Amino acid sequence: MKRIRFVSAMMALAGAGLLLCPGPAAAQTPKSGGSLNIMLREDLSQGFAIHETSTISTVWPAMPCLSNLVIFDPAKPTESAETIVGELAEKWSWQDHYRNLVFFLRKDVKWHDGKPFTSKDVKFTFDMLREAPDAPGKLRINPRKDWYSNIEAVEAAEPYTVVFRLKRPQPSLLLMLASGYSPVYAAHVNPAVYRTGCIGTGPFKLKEWRKGEFADYVKNPDYFVKGRPYLDALRYIVIKERGTRIAALQSGQLDVSFPGETTKTAAEQLKKAVPQLVVTPVGQMVNDNIILNTKKPPFDNPKVRLAVSYAIDRRALIQAVHQGGAVPGAAMAPKPYGVWGLMGNTLAALPGYGKPEDMKAKARKLLAEAGITPQKPLQVEMSTRAIPIYVDMASFVINELKQVGIEASLKQIETSQWHATATRGEYQIGANLTGIGVDDPDGNFYENYACGSPRNYSHFCSEELMKMVDRQSQEIDPKKRLEMVAAIQKKIEDEASRPMLDWRLDYFTHWPHVHGLVAHHNIYNFGRMQDVWRDK
Amino acid sequence: MIARFCRKKPLGAAGGAVMLMIVLTAFFANQLQTYDPIATEAGQTLARPSQEHWLGTDHLGRDIYSRIVHGARVSLIVGVASTLLGSVLGGIIGLLSGYVGGKIDLVAQRIMDILQGLPLLVLALVMSASLGPSIHNVVIAISIPIVPRAARVIRSSVLSIREMQYVEAARSLGLRHARIAFRHILPNTIGPFIVLCTAQLGSAILVEAALSFLGLGVPEPYPSWGRMLSVSAAEYAQKAPHLVIFPGLAISLAVFGSNLLGDALRDTLDPRLRGA
Amino acid sequence: MKTYLVQRLGIGLLTLVGMSIVIFALLRFAPGDIVDILFSTGGYVRPEERIAIMKELGIDKPYTVQYAEWMGQLLRGELGMSYNYGVPAWEVIRPKIPVTLELAVLATIVAVLLGVPTGVISAVRQDTTLDYVLRVVSLAGLSMPSFWLGMVIILGMVAWLGWIPPITYVSPAENFHMHALQFALPALAVGYRSSALITRFTRSALLEVLREDYIRTAWAKGQSGRIVIWSHALKNAMLPVITVIGIEFAFLIGGLIVTERVFNLPGVANYLVEAILARDYPIVQNLVMFIAVVVILSNLAVDLLYGFLDPRVRYGD
């Protein structure tokens, strides 16, 4: 039974990989005109202020309005340093062994209100993000401050050249700048304006945001890429009720689904009802994990934590909770969804990935060493968000833990209070989800594992681990860096402060008349919409 | 007496039978279930109704029949508890208000006005969000809107009884107020009280279902009929319509039964209230 | 009559003030830090950021001051700023009110058109099979969860017709046909439920009246049954029915909350849930007060109408 599950999981991986091999480019010529109705799961939070939120609900509908310095090639699903292309920057180059990053900016860009784009805007944006003491712009909240903490200064001496001076070498900075999370704000606009409207340089201009209903865009006639965008208009429609969302997509009232929204089973249903729908399985760059409060007993004991990791059968969880719509992986996403993840035998050797009976036996042994036996079980409270998929995940884990002698009761926390509760450490063990804005070790490790980081929900501080992370951050040789990152992932799973459960897949769905929209293995980075066209 | 009731009010008897069935189901849930309602089975997701799973399974492979059986427990407990809590509290307020009258009546009436100024679901929503998700908070949230409705019914009942001859007689005999209230007035409000409870029970069950559907009701692991209808049911509805049909039918049946019974009881016990 | 009106309005005002205090307090007792919740999409609010935000939203002041500010705003006709959107609350709520109002009116019309004739037939043919069938059908409407009915309709439509009503609001000016389609189904769903109550009341009120002596007298005198019913009975039976219609209109909003959500109509009822979950207090407070005002006014209107139609009822005694 287990072997069948393993084989089918591997086949799913292979199948997904085949589907995603870059095939021949579409033979059709793009047509101009028309509009698209695009799904939104909930209304935009904080409007179009991407820099003040960490949710796909803002990034997805706000990306058409804004532009980055650089971005991941919209046409390539797997993102890496090799797929970075310029947007506001025509050329760029690293200097002084990845210590300075120089951008040569386009000269023909205008903001949506007509003012010209210059290096001043770049300096304004990134001084604001790194919270430079003399920065004129200020954000109300700054969730990704850590991404820019290595920037010493941003120099904009000439109108079309910008230099990022770093405190130490960091090749990852370029990748973080390519994420949908890193657009450029206008220097002549108060950052607060982005919470209710949008002045950007992107392919579409915001026409109207009717709160709670939809956001309407029209084509930007002065867009700096000639001939783009193809579409005349976009409408992002808010539908809160899941059944209604799916029905709207199925009946054609929506042309495009929401990234991360369509599960495997839902996609199967949609395909059955409307066979011509285009379904593309992609990785979301979102993982499920277990957070353990390492500051308080019982999870301050590494043996108990490791036992938890051993007890959970990852493949069974993927089948039970996601119906196969997820893949196993460690702290970085596995191929072909990411570039850095552990795979094959290395992954299989980690706790929780081997034969379930062996793993559970190991878990029981570890617990026995900590004084916990089936006669004297450990009572804990598992917290999770009050959303069905989390509850399902937590219920499954509770079932697994029961079999090794840990009795967990379920406590639901309202979604809006989840992060705060976890950051404050008001939990024992929790079922969590983490979205990673860019497939990069710097973008992941500092935020989620650094001592004192608010997103380090397990409150686990390992000096040794952070030293390893700092070393790989400055490593210029890609092969050496890959090995370092692999070692870090192994160490993280061995310390078991935040056992990884799986990496989610999205069965991104759209109608066949939608062309040029290539889903990436990262929900946050493919929403620009400039190459999208329709033919009906 | 029961036989006469069944003959005269067949619909009410049918309603009573339905309620009895539900109560028994709730009571004997553990014996009636065919599977553990929270046990997942990865290989059997979204199975159609069959010999093994009488009402099919959900997306996690949990047996729907067993979950509905246990859901009866939750719906009934929440429904009955909140109805009783609200009705008893409201009844006491109504009794005092009606019997003592004067300033107490005035103040109580205004407070009841405040609570009654909002539709049931709205107040329950605000209370539920205010108290946080847990089963006793849901009971409190649903009982609060019932209080003013109960108070109003009991109060008007008390007012009409108070003027009756035998109460005057008792007072002239020098009996203490408390004695009069409890020995003479209270027993005569039992009729309207029962009618009130059965009428409110249906509303309570529906409000609990709506709260669960919106995500503010009874949390896991208690299987709740309302929660069985939220998110996942709609998502898989086309592959497995039984996910949507059966919990909804269960809710409708429970409320239907309680309404039928309530109507018949009202007709029998207190014909004056027929228009109320 | 005038004194009665003044009295009722006075009491209504008192009730509203009391309700405002209750709502204000309830919302602030809600668990969880409001700043954390409002900015939960940012992940984590640092202490310095929190202080600045609280100051900006005006929630760093003591509760009594905040309440006084809210009351002051109401008196000036302002509703404050939405915490979530940073724009005036009125700007957010205003476009949504007509949608809910229209749905409420349509649902009430459906309810009356379905309920009254059914109740009359049921009463006239009391205790026959038709009566039982009608009562069961109408009671079924009262027993079904309204969101379930809506869900079944939408999912059924997409499964069998491959079509659902428009998911973004179509105004009647834009496309009357689409608008009608969009509102017809939710109005039917909500109306069916309300019709059940109206059926019951019409039936029992008519039965009550049919037992009255003057009706019997008219029958004894030999007047045709139908004339008797229509000219005497119905007129008098309508009074309690109008009461119920009035009350139901105000209480319709409970069913509207879930129905608007399922059919994706951008009304205030749908939005209320979002605002409550997002702790957007200015919006929740004012919306709830708005609902309360509607309830109180419609109760008052019904009572006045009752008094107007039935000279036996006197006020101010």
Side-chain angles (χ1 to χ4, degrees), chain A residues 211-240:
Chain A
K211 320 273 188 297
E213 278 186 67
F214 58 75
D216 265 346
Y217 282 100
V218 287
K219 174 186 188 139
N220 176 7
D222 302 315
Y223 188 49
F224 55 84
V225 180
K226 293 293 160 255
R228 302 281 206 283
Y230 294 119
L231 293 167
D232 285 336
L234 299 173
R235 176 173 269 207
Y236 289 84
I237 302 179
V238 179
I239 306 182
K240 303 238 36 148

CSV table of all heavy atoms in Angstrom, one decimal, chain A residues 211-240:
chain,number,residue,atom,x,y,z
A,211,LYS,N,-14.8,49.0,-3.3
A,211,LYS,CA,-14.4,48.3,-2.2
A,211,LYS,C,-15.4,47.1,-2.0
A,211,LYS,O,-16.6,47.2,-1.9
A,211,LYS,CB,-14.5,49.1,-0.9
A,211,LYS,CG,-13.9,50.5,-1.1
A,211,LYS,CD,-12.4,50.6,-0.8
A,211,LYS,CE,-11.9,52.0,-0.8
A,211,LYS,NZ,-12.1,52.7,-2.0
A,212,GLY,N,-14.7,45.9,-1.8
A,212,GLY,CA,-15.5,44.7,-1.6
A,212,GLY,C,-16.1,44.1,-2.8
A,212,GLY,O,-16.6,43.0,-2.7
A,213,GLU,N,-16.0,44.8,-4.0
A,213,GLU,CA,-16.6,44.2,-5.2
A,213,GLU,C,-15.6,43.9,-6.2
A,213,GLU,O,-15.5,42.7,-6.7
A,213,GLU,CB,-17.6,45.2,-5.8
A,213,GLU,CG,-18.9,45.3,-5.1
A,213,GLU,CD,-19.8,46.2,-5.9
A,213,GLU,OE1,-20.2,45.9,-7.0
A,213,GLU,OE2,-20.2,47.2,-5.3
A,214,PHE,N,-14.9,44.9,-6.8
A,214,PHE,CA,-13.9,44.6,-7.8
A,214,PHE,C,-12.9,45.7,-7.9
A,214,PHE,O,-13.1,46.8,-7.4
A,214,PHE,CB,-14.6,44.4,-9.1
A,214,PHE,CG,-15.5,45.6,-9.6
A,214,PHE,CD1,-14.9,46.7,-10.1
A,214,PHE,CD2,-16.8,45.5,-9.5
A,214,PHE,CE1,-15.6,47.8,-10.5
A,214,PHE,CE2,-17.6,46.6,-9.9
A,214,PHE,CZ,-17.0,47.7,-10.4
A,215,ALA,N,-11.9,45.4,-8.7
A,215,ALA,CA,-10.9,46.5,-9.1
A,215,ALA,C,-10.8,46.5,-10.6
A,215,ALA,O,-10.6,45.4,-11.2
A,215,ALA,CB,-9.5,46.2,-8.5
A,216,ASP,N,-11.0,47.6,-11.2
A,216,ASP,CA,-11.0,47.7,-12.7
A,216,ASP,C,-9.7,48.4,-13.2
A,216,ASP,O,-9.3,49.4,-12.6
A,216,ASP,CB,-12.2,48.6,-13.1
A,216,ASP,CG,-13.4,47.8,-13.5
A,216,ASP,OD1,-13.2,46.5,-13.7
A,216,ASP,OD2,-14.5,48.3,-13.7
A,217,TYR,N,-9.1,47.9,-14.2
A,217,TYR,CA,-7.9,48.5,-14.8
A,217,TYR,C,-8.2,48.8,-16.3
A,217,TYR,O,-9.0,48.0,-16.9
A,217,TYR,CB,-6.8,47.5,-14.8
A,217,TYR,CG,-6.0,47.4,-13.5
A,217,TYR,CD1,-6.3,46.3,-12.6
A,217,TYR,CD2,-5.1,48.3,-13.1
A,217,TYR,CE1,-5.6,46.2,-11.4
A,217,TYR,CE2,-4.4,48.2,-11.9
A,217,TYR,CZ,-4.7,47.1,-11.1
A,217,TYR,OH,-4.0,47.0,-9.9
A,218,VAL,N,-7.5,49.8,-16.8
A,218,VAL,CA,-7.6,50.0,-18.3
A,218,VAL,C,-6.1,50.0,-18.7
A,218,VAL,O,-5.2,50.3,-18.0
A,218,VAL,CB,-8.2,51.3,-18.7
A,218,VAL,CG1,-9.7,51.3,-18.5
A,218,VAL,CG2,-7.6,52.5,-17.9
A,219,LYS,N,-6.0,49.8,-20.0
A,219,LYS,CA,-4.6,49.7,-20.7
A,219,LYS,C,-3.9,51.0,-20.5
A,219,LYS,O,-4.5,52.1,-20.6
A,219,LYS,CB,-4.9,49.5,-22.1
A,219,LYS,CG,-3.7,49.5,-23.0
A,219,LYS,CD,-4.2,49.3,-24.5
A,219,LYS,CE,-3.1,49.2,-25.4
A,219,LYS,NZ,-3.3,48.1,-26.4
A,220,ASN,N,-2.6,51.0,-20.2
A,220,ASN,CA,-1.8,52.2,-20.1
A,220,ASN,C,-1.2,52.5,-21.5
A,220,ASN,O,-0.4,51.8,-22.0
A,220,ASN,CB,-0.6,51.9,-19.1
A,220,ASN,CG,0.3,53.1,-19.0
A,220,ASN,OD1,0.1,54.1,-19.6
A,220,ASN,ND2,1.4,52.9,-18.3
A,221,PRO,N,-1.8,53.5,-22.2
A,221,PRO,CA,-1.3,53.8,-23.5
A,221,PRO,C,0.1,54.2,-23.6
A,221,PRO,O,0.8,54.1,-24.7
A,221,PRO,CB,-2.2,54.9,-24.0
A,221,PRO,CG,-2.7,55.5,-22.7
A,221,PRO,CD,-2.7,54.5,-21.7
A,222,ASP,N,0.7,54.7,-22.5
A,222,ASP,CA,2.1,55.1,-22.5
A,222,ASP,C,3.1,54.1,-21.9
A,222,ASP,O,4.1,54.5,-21.5
A,222,ASP,CB,2.2,56.5,-21.7
A,222,ASP,CG,1.3,57.5,-22.3
A,222,ASP,OD1,1.3,57.7,-23.5
A,222,ASP,OD2,0.6,58.2,-21.5
A,223,TYR,N,2.7,52.9,-21.9
A,223,TYR,CA,3.5,51.9,-21.3
A,223,TYR,C,4.8,51.8,-22.0
A,223,TYR,O,4.9,51.9,-23.2
A,223,TYR,CB,2.8,50.5,-21.3
A,223,TYR,CG,3.5,49.4,-20.5
A,223,TYR,CD1,4.0,49.7,-19.2
A,223,TYR,CD2,3.8,48.2,-21.0
A,223,TYR,CE1,4.6,48.7,-18.5
A,223,TYR,CE2,4.4,47.2,-20.3
A,223,TYR,CZ,4.8,47.5,-19.0
A,223,TYR,OH,5.5,46.5,-18.3
A,224,PHE,N,5.9,51.6,-21.3
A,224,PHE,CA,7.2,51.7,-21.9
A,224,PHE,C,7.6,50.5,-22.7
A,224,PHE,O,8.6,50.5,-23.4
A,224,PHE,CB,8.3,51.9,-20.8
A,224,PHE,CG,8.3,50.9,-19.7
A,224,PHE,CD1,9.0,49.7,-19.8
A,224,PHE,CD2,7.7,51.2,-18.5
A,224,PHE,CE1,9.0,48.8,-18.8
A,224,PHE,CE2,7.7,50.2,-17.4
A,224,PHE,CZ,8.4,49.0,-17.6
A,225,VAL,N,6.9,49.5,-22.7
A,225,VAL,CA,7.1,48.3,-23.6
A,225,VAL,C,6.1,48.5,-24.8
A,225,VAL,O,4.9,48.4,-24.6
A,225,VAL,CB,6.9,47.0,-23.0
A,225,VAL,CG1,7.1,45.9,-24.0
A,225,VAL,CG2,7.8,46.8,-21.8
A,226,LYS,N,6.6,48.9,-25.9
A,226,LYS,CA,5.7,49.2,-27.1
A,226,LYS,C,5.0,48.0,-27.5
A,226,LYS,O,5.5,46.9,-27.5
A,226,LYS,CB,6.6,49.7,-28.3
A,226,LYS,CG,7.2,51.1,-28.0
A,226,LYS,CD,6.1,52.2,-27.8
A,226,LYS,CE,6.6,53.4,-27.1
A,226,LYS,NZ,6.1,53.5,-25.7
A,227,GLY,N,3.7,48.2,-27.8
A,227,GLY,CA,2.9,47.1,-28.2
A,227,GLY,C,2.2,46.3,-27.1
A,227,GLY,O,1.5,45.4,-27.3
A,228,ARG,N,2.6,46.7,-25.9
A,228,ARG,CA,2.0,46.0,-24.7
A,228,ARG,C,1.3,47.1,-23.9
A,228,ARG,O,1.6,48.2,-23.9
A,228,ARG,CB,3.1,45.4,-23.8
A,228,ARG,CG,3.9,44.4,-24.5
A,228,ARG,CD,3.2,43.1,-24.7
A,228,ARG,NE,4.1,42.0,-24.8
A,228,ARG,CZ,4.8,41.7,-25.9
A,228,ARG,NH1,4.6,42.4,-27.0
A,228,ARG,NH2,5.7,40.7,-25.9
A,229,PRO,N,0.3,46.7,-23.1
A,229,PRO,CA,-0.2,45.3,-22.9
A,229,PRO,C,-1.2,45.0,-24.1
A,229,PRO,O,-1.6,45.9,-24.8
A,229,PRO,CB,-1.0,45.4,-21.6
A,229,PRO,CG,-1.4,46.8,-21.5
A,229,PRO,CD,-0.4,47.6,-22.1
A,230,TYR,N,-1.5,43.8,-24.3
A,230,TYR,CA,-2.4,43.4,-25.4
A,230,TYR,C,-3.9,43.7,-25.0
A,230,TYR,O,-4.7,44.2,-25.8
A,230,TYR,CB,-2.3,41.9,-25.7
A,230,TYR,CG,-1.0,41.6,-26.3
A,230,TYR,CD1,-0.1,40.6,-25.6
A,230,TYR,CD2,-0.5,42.1,-27.5
A,230,TYR,CE1,1.1,40.3,-26.2
A,230,TYR,CE2,0.7,41.7,-28.0
A,230,TYR,CZ,1.5,40.8,-27.4
A,230,TYR,OH,2.7,40.5,-27.9
A,231,LEU,N,-4.2,43.5,-23.7
A,231,LEU,CA,-5.6,43.6,-23.3
A,231,LEU,C,-5.9,45.1,-23.1
A,231,LEU,O,-5.1,45.9,-22.8
A,231,LEU,CB,-5.8,42.9,-22.0
A,231,LEU,CG,-5.7,41.4,-22.1
A,231,LEU,CD1,-5.6,40.7,-20.7
A,231,LEU,CD2,-6.9,40.8,-22.8
A,232,ASP,N,-7.2,45.4,-23.3
A,232,ASP,CA,-7.7,46.8,-23.0
A,232,ASP,C,-8.1,47.0,-21.6
A,232,ASP,O,-8.0,48.1,-21.1
A,232,ASP,CB,-9.0,47.0,-23.9
A,232,ASP,CG,-8.7,47.2,-25.3
A,232,ASP,OD1,-7.5,47.6,-25.6
A,232,ASP,OD2,-9.6,47.0,-26.1
A,233,ALA,N,-8.5,45.9,-20.9
A,233,ALA,CA,-9.0,46.1,-19.6
A,233,ALA,C,-8.9,44.8,-18.8
A,233,ALA,O,-8.8,43.7,-19.3
A,233,ALA,CB,-10.5,46.6,-19.6
A,234,LEU,N,-8.8,45.0,-17.4
A,234,LEU,CA,-8.8,43.9,-16.5
A,234,LEU,C,-9.8,44.2,-15.4
A,234,LEU,O,-10.0,45.3,-15.0
A,234,LEU,CB,-7.5,43.7,-15.8
A,234,LEU,CG,-6.2,43.4,-16.7
A,234,LEU,CD1,-5.0,43.5,-15.8
A,234,LEU,CD2,-6.3,42.1,-17.3
A,235,ARG,N,-10.5,43.1,-15.0
A,235,ARG,CA,-11.4,43.3,-13.8
A,235,ARG,C,-11.1,42.2,-12.9
A,235,ARG,O,-11.3,41.0,-13.2
A,235,ARG,CB,-12.8,43.3,-14.3
A,235,ARG,CG,-13.8,43.4,-13.1
A,235,ARG,CD,-15.2,43.5,-13.6
A,235,ARG,NE,-15.6,44.9,-13.7
A,235,ARG,CZ,-16.8,45.4,-13.6
A,235,ARG,NH1,-17.8,44.6,-13.4
A,235,ARG,NH2,-17.1,46.7,-13.7
A,236,TYR,N,-10.7,42.5,-11.7
A,236,TYR,CA,-10.5,41.6,-10.6
A,236,TYR,C,-11.7,41.5,-9.7
A,236,TYR,O,-12.1,42.5,-9.1
A,236,TYR,CB,-9.3,42.0,-9.8
A,236,TYR,CG,-8.0,41.8,-10.5
A,236,TYR,CD1,-7.5,42.8,-11.3
A,236,TYR,CD2,-7.2,40.6,-10.3
A,236,TYR,CE1,-6.3,42.6,-12.0
A,236,TYR,CE2,-6.0,40.5,-11.0
A,236,TYR,CZ,-5.6,41.5,-11.8
A,236,TYR,OH,-4.4,41.3,-12.5
A,237,ILE,N,-12.4,40.4,-9.7
A,237,ILE,CA,-13.7,40.3,-9.0
A,237,ILE,C,-13.6,39.6,-7.7
A,237,ILE,O,-13.1,38.5,-7.6
A,237,ILE,CB,-14.7,39.6,-9.9
A,237,ILE,CG1,-14.8,40.4,-11.3
A,237,ILE,CG2,-16.1,39.5,-9.3
A,237,ILE,CD1,-15.8,39.7,-12.2
A,238,VAL,N,-14.2,40.2,-6.6
A,238,VAL,CA,-14.1,39.6,-5.3
A,238,VAL,C,-15.3,38.6,-5.1
A,238,VAL,O,-16.5,39.0,-5.3
A,238,VAL,CB,-14.2,40.7,-4.2
A,238,VAL,CG1,-14.2,40.0,-2.8
A,238,VAL,CG2,-13.1,41.7,-4.4
A,239,ILE,N,-15.0,37.4,-4.8
A,239,ILE,CA,-16.1,36.4,-4.5
A,239,ILE,C,-15.7,35.7,-3.3
A,239,ILE,O,-14.7,34.9,-3.2
A,239,ILE,CB,-16.3,35.4,-5.7
A,239,ILE,CG1,-16.6,36.1,-7.0
A,239,ILE,CG2,-17.5,34.5,-5.3
A,239,ILE,CD1,-16.9,35.2,-8.1
A,240,LYS,N,-16.4,35.9,-2.2
A,240,LYS,CA,-16.0,35.4,-0.9
A,240,LYS,C,-16.4,33.9,-0.7
A,240,LYS,O,-15.7,33.1,-0.1
A,240,LYS,CB,-16.6,36.2,0.2
A,240,LYS,CG,-16.3,37.6,0.2
A,240,LYS,CD,-15.6,38.1,1.4
A,240,LYS,CE,-14.6,37.1,2.0
A,240,LYS,NZ,-13.5,37.7,2.6
